[in-house]
Amino acid sequence: MMSKTSYWYGVGKIRAMEKNLLGSAVFRQAAESGREEALKLFAEALPEGDRLLKARDVREVEEFLRGEKAGLERLVRQLLPDVRLLRLLEPESLLRLDVLLSGIEQGLIADYFRHAADLYNIGVFLRMRLCRRPEAELPPELAAGGFLAAEDFIRLYAKETAAFLHLLSNVHKRGRIVDYAIVLEDGIRGVEERNSFIRLEKRVKDFLIEVLRPAKYISCGPEPLVAYYYARMNEIELIRLVLLGKFSGFPREKIQERINAVYA
């Protein structure tokens, strides 16, 4: 891991940029607004938002958001000097997390990715059960490196949901207990009772944002940079959710129920 002093400049820059992150009220208001008003809200709130006002269809919205993601990725590559951390930010990193975390010190960043692996595996577990896929197909789909062992998912694959929730309520994390069940139970019930992942996916995103939030109080180190990267990615995905919903004519309540927590 790089020396923490390598991050003084990067953290200072990120602290200034964090002030431009959008609060939840902007997304709620945009979801309640018409299409043109939603475009205007985001255009006024984003530093480069003027270009968004010119979007006249889904393709142009997607083009704008691709540019926002590309700019974010360039920024993080410039500010994050440790190539091992950059590899963790790659989209498929969870599937080789056990390898990528080797040499990464314990702390917020490692915790974030281990939680992300657990939550990814919970989603895989539920989707495969919903589709009634055989238990033998589960192990290759699971990410390694989380706080929960792959063997636990395999052992409980054919069991009642109550047994799975008990496992999730008693997850060991470096000498303390994490209770995923209290956060995810209503989402899991939504999957099993209504075949809907909407609530679960929202709960997962809410949880991961909360894992990152302590990075706001870290004065130097890679944590604020990694947290900003995922905070901004979350923001971009929420803008996409609202605007594509508006262009596609989705009901306001359907958009609102998908809006998860933000870092701002």
Side-chain angles (χ1 to χ4, degrees):
M1 184 71 70
M2 304 287 291
S3 166
K4 285 189 178 291
T5 57
S6 305
Y7 294 98
W8 281 116
Y9 170 77
V11 172
K13 188 173 181 67
I14 288 301
R15 291 294 182 234
M17 298 181 74
E18 282 178 349
K19 297 175 183 177
N20 293 321
L21 289 171
L22 305 186
S24 59
V26 175
F27 295 103
R28 297 291 177 193
Q29 186 178 351
E32 289 297 316
S33 303
R35 186 177 73 185
E36 294 303 318
E37 182 61 24
L39 281 167
K40 184 178 178 182
L41 278 167
F42 289 133
E44 291 175 349
L46 295 169
E48 303 293 329
D50 287 349
R51 292 185 291 121
L52 193 55
L53 283 175
K54 301 175 183 177
R56 288 294 171 261
D57 55 33
V58 168
R59 180 186 61 80
E60 292 180 352
V61 171
E62 293 281 25
E63 183 179 347
F64 171 82
L65 295 177
R66 280 196 298 272
E68 293 289 288
K69 284 185 178 181
L72 175 63
E73 288 164 359
R74 284 194 300 272
L75 173 72
V76 171
R77 283 196 297 271
Q78 291 166 5
L79 298 181
L80 201 57
D82 193 329
V83 69
R84 292 172 295 180
L85 294 178
L86 288 173
R87 291 191 186 114
L88 279 171
L89 301 185
E90 294 173 358
E92 302 301 321
S93 67
L94 290 184
L95 298 180
R96 49 199 179 97
L97 187 62
D98 52 340
V99 175
L100 292 177
L101 282 178
S102 177
I104 303 294
E105 66 184 47
Q106 298 288 341
L108 186 146
I109 292 175
D111 285 354
Y112 175 83
F113 285 101
R114 289 193 169 104
H115 283 305
D118 286 341
L119 296 167
Y120 171 86
N121 287 342
I122 290 167
V124 168
F125 177 91
L126 293 169
R127 282 185 171 85
M128 290 187 66
R129 290 218 311 184
L130 186 64
C131 296
R132 301 186 184 280
R133 287 172 59 183
E135 180 182 320
E137 294 182 10
L138 180 62
E141 302 292 332
L142 297 173
F147 294 109
L148 287 167
E151 292 76 15
D152 290 326
F153 290 97
I154 297 166
R155 175 173 55 85
L156 295 173
Y157 191 68
K159 303 292 186 182
E160 295 293 323
T161 301
F164 186 53
L165 288 171
H166 178 72
L167 168 71
L168 298 185
S169 70
N170 192 39
V171 179
H172 291 264
K173 175 184 174 179
R174 299 201 315 274
R176 64 187 183 90
I177 300 297
V178 174
D179 188 346
Y180 287 138
I182 199 169
V183 178
L184 303 179
E185 183 171 2
D186 65 339
I188 292 171
R189 298 295 183 194
V191 172
E192 301 205 326
E193 295 170 8
R194 299 185 298 279
N195 294 347
S196 172
F197 279 83
I198 293 171
R199 181 61 61 86
L200 179 65
E201 289 171 354
K202 180 181 183 299
R203 294 288 186 247
V204 165
K205 292 172 184 176
D206 289 347
F207 183 92
L208 289 174
I209 286 291
E210 292 306 315
V211 173
L212 291 173
R213 208 172 291 283
K216 288 185 173 186
Y217 309 104
I218 296 175
S219 59
C220 191
E223 295 88 353
L225 281 72
V226 172
Y228 178 81
Y229 174 80
Y230 282 110
R232 185 78 174 97
M233 288 292 285
N234 179 58
E235 180 177 279
I236 291 168
E237 288 305 314
L238 284 173
I239 294 170
R240 182 179 186 274
L241 164 69
V242 173
L243 291 183
L244 267 60
K246 294 299 175 184
F247 275 95
S248 302
F250 286 2
R252 294 174 180 179
E253 62 272 15
K254 294 296 184 185
I255 299 173
Q256 288 278 17
E257 70 178 347
R258 290 166 167 81
I259 295 175
N260 58 271
V262 298
Y263 187 72

